[in-house]
Amino acid sequence: LTLATAGQHTVRRHNLALVLGAVSAAGRTTRAQIAQATGLTRATVSALADQLLAAELLDELDPDRGAPGRPGNPLRLNPRGPGGLGLEVNVDHLAACVVGLDGSVRAQHVEPFDVRAAAPGATLRRAADLADRAVAEAGIPITGAGLALPGLVDRDGVLRRAPNLPQWNGFAAAETLAVLLGVRIDAGNEANLAALAECSAEGLRDFVHVSGEVGVGAGVVRDGRLYAGVRGFAGELGHVVVDAAGPPCTCGGSGCLEQYAGLDALLRDARAADLDELVDRAGDPHVGGVLAAAGRALGVALAAAVNLLDVSDIVLGGSYARLAPWLIAALQAELERRVMSREIGMPQVRVSRLGPYAAVRGAAGSVVARLLAAPDSVGKAVVSA
Amino acid sequence: LTLATAGQHTVRRHNLALVLGAVSAAGRTTRAQIAQATGLTRATVSALADQLLAAELLDELDPDRGAPGRPGNPLRLNPRGPGGLGLEVNVDHLAACVVGLDGSVRAQHVEPFDVRAAAPGATLRRAADLADRAVAEAGIPITGAGLALPGLVDRDGVLRRAPNLPQWNGFAAAETLAVLLGVRIDAGNEANLAALAECSAEGLRDFVHVSGEVGVGAGVVRDGRLYAGVRGFAGELGHVVVDAAGPPCTCGGSGCLEQYAGLDALLRDARAADLDELVDRAGDPHVGGVLAAAGRALGVALAAAVNLLDVSDIVLGGSYARLAPWLIAALQAELERRVMSREIGMPQVRVSRLGPYAAVRGAAGSVVARLLAAPDSVGKAVVSA
């Protein structure tokens, strides 16, 4: 890896990112086309492309003899070049994935794990094992990792409060995992990272993505960018009230959405052991009633979110992606009663196609996005297959 | 007024705005200092300043002999130059104000008026009379007007839905008032405009401003800019739920904040005729209980807003600015129970100092902001004192 150290040459970094961005946008393009798209000279593009090829960020294909005009060797993002590792520690599961520079998913795993019952150190060791497995399968070098966590994560990547994992409050999870894996790790809120993954995957620009796990969180995207709030704590949909006089919540409040539609509440009310059993028994009238009630509560909280945020789409993710068929009618009915702008236009309710992988894909994607924006930082790649 | 027509000379417009902006930022400054601040040549600054002086946007003061270095005639924004007219049509009152180019308030009036009981045309005539009075008192020319309306106003300035003024749904209020007054009028949501006024007045950058009127609305400001949502309909705090099974709301939903803390609900529950009587009798135990209950409901809805939006300040405006002493303890108690990030940092609850003038000041301020950004549009001034 031959690129200069980060920070030394900001113009060069800018131009490297410009070339990489042009290739990323085009998918497959020539040096001449990059020069045209970026306004850089042909010679500059060639020199930068050579550096990006040497760093294995770009890949050169055979000349495209069928194309019109002067043939040139097409360039693309190198699918075997350095990529990003995504990790997730959630209340009842762990996940890891590796995403290539071109956005391709090289490996992804989710495994059930009772994080509430385990010591944080034991959880991190298990997560590190899962990461190793994903990296080995992916067969590409990793330049960094993103870690999705279920709680308030500040802009320094510290998990400040996780009501469903109180022993993790203030715990330096990312730093410890970085030591275990030998790679830079940036932590973020799982619902925010899931929303970013959804943004890339579906091309939506104004939406709320709901992560229906034991905790219920949301990521808000406005005009294609994450709305994270002043400290990064925005989107706590699980603690929007359905009935202020309702049951006590882990957050200290009462009647929060999470108490009506969080996965723990659903399993308890449906007397199911896990999500698989809940889905299997969803046709049972009692379980169907539990899911319809959860759909109503979700509709109440999402109507509040739409009234405050004015988004055009709602994406149901996490366990809600699987439960959607039994939630959606009751949810829609509440939206149709409560969204102020319903006569002008209703938000579209969609089901995430990323399923349980959204947060971990967003975590890996954030590493790739950083790499594309600052290609010279690839010199710091430390984990290799 | 000698400036060119809007759109003809975009570089010149840009440079005029640059000079005007430099004067606005400095308060009082010389041509040499403007050249330094903007990077324009001294000759260009002088030519542009002459045009801005001719258009009465700038004002030249006597030489500042006490200042160090070469004396120059200081320039400032002309307090007698063209300004903006603000208008508000709310459920139970009308307002008008005139703001000068330097942000000075030249005239402001609020008058009670039962808009629900009046025909829209009669309301507009009364609002036009109030505007004439404010313009006459202000003694400066007006280049345009902003109109604050209590409902969903789309990006074309059309009031699409006002649950408390159903006869105004879709009514072309701004166009008609523009004809009556002979000036360009842009309509906006009253809570959004109030938040913009608060942003200018207090220098806050991340807050929710609550307009407590018959309708309860909010304006959300993130990093100094209004968060208006995809269609401009964001901030409908009055339709965040306190108890989904609560009383029916004018919006078609049930248990919305407005049914617990809107001015109609407060007057009804306290058996008071108007806000003055409510304030007079706030010490009465029954009325105090009504206001505490409203404070609790406000706290529930604002906690939801803080959990979703992660703002650092909450500003109580409209009637809440006067009622704050009797609302705030109960409101704070709910925030302290329900805000997810409370242990990391609580949002600060402030009381608006703009009182009932916030929305109309925001409406006038939006005209001045547009003028500062495009000074050549001053050629279109049509209303004069």
Side-chain angles (χ1 to χ4, degrees):
Chain A
L1 299 177
T2 58
L3 301 179
T5 312
Q8 274 187 332
H9 303 290
T10 52
V11 171
R12 194 155 139 282
R13 165 186 288 189
H14 176 80
N15 288 343
L16 284 167
L18 211 59
V19 170
L20 212 46
V23 178
S24 175
R28 190 186 158 99
T29 187
T30 63
R31 290 165 178 82
Q33 288 165 336
I34 296 170
Q36 198 160 28
T38 59
L40 298 172
T41 66
R42 178 70 200 269
T44 304
V45 169
S46 285
L48 294 167
D50 285 347
Q51 292 167 38
L52 293 167
L53 284 162
E56 299 186 334
L57 296 175
L58 290 183
D59 186 23
E60 186 155 22
L61 302 173
D62 288 334
D64 201 354
R65 294 185 198 284
R70 200 163 71 98
N73 286 19
L75 300 169
R76 62 170 182 178
L77 296 178
N78 185 356
R80 296 170 310 282
L85 170 65
L87 289 165
E88 182 182 7
V89 173
N90 214 313
V91 180
D92 60 0
H93 66 269
L94 304 174
C97 80
V98 173
V99 168
L101 199 58
D102 58 347
S104 59
V105 180
R106 308 283 304 192
Q108 60 181 4
H109 296 286
V110 173
E111 71 173 37
F113 188 80
D114 188 351
V115 176
R116 282 182 284 206
T123 300
L124 291 186
R125 270 153 41 209
R126 186 72 166 260
D129 291 346
L130 201 63
D132 286 347
R133 199 172 130 204
V135 170
E137 273 179 43
I140 59 172
I142 299 303
T143 61
L147 171 62
L149 293 171
L152 304 178
V153 180
D154 68 21
R155 296 204 185 273
D156 294 326
V158 178
L159 179 61
R160 300 294 297 270
R161 184 168 189 226
N164 293 305
L165 292 178
Q167 75 272 37
W168 282 61
N169 289 352
F171 175 55
E175 289 90 324
T176 309
L177 259 179
V179 173
L180 295 183
L181 293 172
V183 70
R184 169 180 168 177
I185 301 191
D186 294 287
N189 171 271
E190 53 98 12
N192 284 350
L193 290 167
L196 286 176
E198 207 63 50
C199 195
S200 303
E202 301 290 343
L204 300 175
R205 296 191 64 79
D206 288 279
F207 64 97
V208 170
H209 175 275
V210 189
S211 292
E213 307 293 348
V214 172
V216 177
V220 179
V221 174
R222 167 78 189 106
D223 205 15
R225 295 180 56 192
L226 188 70
Y227 175 100
V230 66
R231 297 165 300 180
F233 300 159
E236 289 294 334
L237 186 74
H239 305 282
V240 168
V241 159
V242 173
D243 171 6
C249 183
T250 53
C251 77
S254 55
C256 298
L257 173 63
E258 209 162 287
Q259 296 307 313
Y260 300 88
L263 194 53
D264 273 3
L266 296 184
L267 296 178
R268 177 197 66 216
D269 294 348
R271 286 171 237 117
D274 57 25
L275 180 60
D276 289 333
E277 188 190 334
L278 196 61
V279 171
D280 284 347
R281 288 178 38 220
D284 167 303
H286 171 70
V287 176
V290 167
L291 292 172
R296 280 193 296 277
L298 254 176
V300 168
L302 280 168
V306 171
N307 287 335
L308 282 173
L309 298 163
D310 188 29
V311 291
S312 50
D313 292 272
I314 291 168
V315 183
L316 301 179
S319 70
Y320 295 156
R322 289 184 68 193
L323 296 170
W326 303 281
L327 298 170
I328 216 159
L331 191 168
Q332 284 274 18
E334 288 298 328
L335 291 179
E336 272 152 26
R337 274 185 71 202
R338 296 180 181 278
V339 168
M340 274 284 282
S341 55
R342 60 184 174 270
E343 286 152 22
I344 305 161
M346 280 291 286
Q348 193 170 342
V349 181
R350 298 164 181 269
V351 177
S352 171
R353 287 187 282 194
L354 300 177
Y357 298 104
V360 78
R361 291 266 288 271
S366 66
V367 176
V368 170
R370 202 169 53 230
L371 182 57
L372 289 173
D376 49 351
S377 66
V378 76
K380 295 182 176 163
V382 283
V383 174
S384 289
Chain B
L1 299 176
T2 58
L3 300 179
T5 312
Q8 274 188 332
H9 304 290
T10 52
V11 172
R12 193 156 141 281
R13 165 187 287 189
H14 176 80
N15 288 343
L16 285 167
L18 211 60
V19 169
L20 211 47
V23 178
S24 175
R28 191 185 156 100
T29 187
T30 64
R31 289 166 179 81
Q33 288 165 336
I34 296 168
Q36 199 160 29
T38 59
L40 297 172
T41 67
R42 178 70 200 271
T44 304
V45 169
S46 286
L48 294 167
D50 284 347
Q51 291 167 38
L52 293 166
L53 284 162
E56 299 187 332
L57 296 175
L58 290 183
D59 185 24
E60 187 154 21
L61 303 172
D62 288 336
D64 200 355
R65 294 184 197 285
R70 197 164 72 99
N73 286 20
L75 299 170
R76 62 170 181 175
L77 295 179
N78 185 356
R80 295 171 311 282
L85 170 64
L87 289 165
E88 182 183 7
V89 173
N90 215 313
V91 180
D92 60 359
H93 66 270
L94 304 174
C97 80
V98 173
V99 169
L101 199 57
D102 59 346
S104 60
V105 181
R106 309 283 305 190
Q108 60 181 6
H109 296 287
V110 173
E111 72 174 34
F113 188 80
D114 188 350
V115 176
R116 283 183 283 205
T123 300
L124 290 188
R125 269 152 41 208
R126 185 73 164 258
D129 290 347
L130 201 63
D132 285 347
R133 197 170 132 205
V135 170
E137 273 180 43
I140 59 172
I142 299 303
T143 62
L147 171 62
L149 294 171
L152 305 178
V153 180
D154 68 22
R155 296 202 185 272
D156 294 326
V158 178
L159 179 61
R160 300 293 298 271
R161 186 170 187 223
N164 293 305
L165 292 178
Q167 74 272 38
W168 282 62
N169 289 352
F171 175 55
E175 289 89 327
T176 309
L177 260 178
V179 173
L180 295 182
L181 292 172
V183 69
R184 169 180 167 175
I185 301 190
D186 293 288
N189 171 270
E190 55 98 13
N192 284 350
L193 290 168
L196 286 175
E198 206 63 50
C199 196
S200 302
E202 302 289 344
L204 300 175
R205 295 191 63 80
D206 287 279
F207 64 97
V208 169
H209 175 276
V210 190
S211 292
E213 307 292 350
V214 172
V216 177
V220 179
V221 174
R222 166 78 189 106
D223 204 16
R225 294 180 57 193
L226 187 70
Y227 176 99
V230 66
R231 295 166 301 180
F233 300 158
E236 290 293 333
L237 186 74
H239 305 283
V240 168
V241 159
V242 173
D243 172 6
C249 183
T250 53
C251 77
S254 56
C256 299
L257 173 63
E258 210 163 286
Q259 296 307 312
Y260 299 88
L263 194 52
D264 272 3
L266 297 183
L267 297 178
R268 177 197 65 214
D269 294 348
R271 287 172 237 117
D274 56 24
L275 179 60
D276 290 332
E277 189 190 333
L278 195 62
V279 171
D280 284 347
R281 288 176 41 219
D284 167 303
H286 171 70
V287 176
V290 167
L291 291 172
R296 281 194 295 277
L298 254 176
V300 169
L302 280 168
V306 171
N307 287 335
L308 282 174
L309 297 164
D310 188 29
V311 291
S312 49
D313 293 271
I314 291 168
V315 183
L316 300 179
S319 69
Y320 295 156
R322 289 182 68 193
L323 295 170
W326 303 282
L327 298 170
I328 215 159
L331 191 166
Q332 284 273 19
E334 288 297 327
L335 290 179
E336 274 153 25
R337 274 184 72 201
R338 298 180 181 277
V339 169
M340 274 284 283
S341 56
R342 60 184 173 270
E343 285 151 22
I344 305 162
M346 279 291 285
Q348 193 170 343
V349 181
R350 300 165 180 267
V351 178
S352 170
R353 288 187 282 195
L354 300 177
Y357 297 104
V360 77
R361 292 267 287 271
S366 66
V367 176
V368 170
R370 202 169 54 228
L371 183 57
L372 289 172
D376 50 351
S377 66
V378 76
K380 295 184 175 160
V382 282
V383 174
S384 289

